[in-house]
Amino acid sequence: MAIVRATLIGILGVINALRVPILIYNGSLNKTIFLQSLAILPFFLTSLYLGNKFYAKIPRKRFEQIFLILLFMTGFSLVIK
């Protein structure tokens, strides 16, 4: 379970690290969006803390179900757009 979690964190980290310079280059990441991102940073950090706190308490099967539901919802929202 820890390997899956570490892999997901690593993949998402690499994707976002590659995405930021591209967004800056093409002008999609401007000052307004950057400031909005800073405004939601406390919510992100709180979610990160809670996720780490409750991670060990969630059974593996439930974690996989939640992850697959979130993955489906993300994919579905991309198809709609």
Side-chain angles (χ1 to χ4, degrees), residues 13-78:
V14 169
I15 289 170
N16 287 320
L18 294 173
R19 185 182 303 174
V20 170
I22 294 169
L23 293 174
I24 292 171
Y25 177 75
N26 72 13
S28 296
L29 183 60
N30 55 32
K31 183 179 177 183
T32 303
I33 294 174
F34 179 73
L35 292 175
Q36 289 172 344
S37 298
L38 286 179
I40 64 168
L41 187 60
F43 298 102
F44 169 74
L45 294 175
T46 302
S47 299
L48 186 64
Y49 170 76
L50 292 173
N52 282 327
K53 184 175 180 179
F54 293 113
Y55 169 72
K57 297 178 182 180
I58 298 175
R60 178 184 174 108
K61 191 69 174 169
R62 175 64 64 192
F63 173 80
E64 290 174 357
Q65 290 171 341
I66 293 169
F67 179 76
L68 288 174
I69 289 169
L70 291 173
L71 185 62
F72 174 78
M73 290 170 46
T74 303
F76 186 72
S77 71
L78 290 172

Side-chain angles (χ1 to χ4, degrees), residues 5-17:
R5 185 172 181 230
T7 302
L8 290 173
I9 291 170
I11 290 171
L12 294 174
V14 169
I15 289 170
N16 287 320

